[in-house]
Amino acid sequence: MALDAAQHGFATTVAALRLRSWKLGAGQAMDVIDQFSQADFTHIVDDRADVHIGSRDGRFYLGYFPNGRPGGADEDWVTGEGWVIAVTGTANVPGYRIAFSTDTPAEIVADAVARILSTSRPL
């Protein structure tokens, strides 16, 4: 590959960059919360207006923290978490935890929740 020293800097076209518009902004939390029926899940809104949703069997948890998840002075890394999803494992298979920032669009969290809920089956 030869270098053309006569051409300075970075040169391209808008078409070559293939610019896109991306979904940004927190969106509407109800897009996520509305997926959980009162029959199958408990809903708690605490004194900070954080929302906690748990399955009746206690194995699924969703936390919504519009201002960031609170943490102690040595845990300030959690303050950027806006959504936390956790599924408890079994004796043979570990569970998992997913966290999204406060700026993650609710539609993206809603899609992740829908996919998780679609894998749930009554015993």
Side-chain angles (χ1 to χ4, degrees), residues 41-83:
F41 297 89
T42 58
H43 297 73
I44 297 171
V45 179
D46 66 19
D47 61 338
R48 287 178 23 109
D50 295 336
V51 178
H52 307 274
I53 297 173
S55 61
R56 297 282 179 184
D57 67 0
R59 298 214 25 233
F60 175 89
Y61 170 79
L62 174 119
Y64 171 54
F65 310 96
N67 297 314
R69 189 163 71 86
D74 58 343
E75 299 178 42
D76 57 355
W77 59 272
V78 300
T79 57
E81 289 183 347
W83 299 93

Side-chain angles (χ1 to χ4, degrees), residues 31-33 35-36 60-62 83-87 96-100 104-120:
D31 290 344
V32 177
I33 296 167
Q35 295 184 67
F36 299 97
F60 175 89
Y61 170 79
L62 174 119
W83 299 93
V84 173
I85 300 168
V87 177
Y96 57 90
R97 180 182 184 281
I98 305 167
F100 297 93
T104 302
E107 293 88 343
I108 292 171
V109 179
D111 287 349
V113 164
R115 182 70 178 127
I116 293 167
L117 291 176
S118 75
T119 66
S120 170

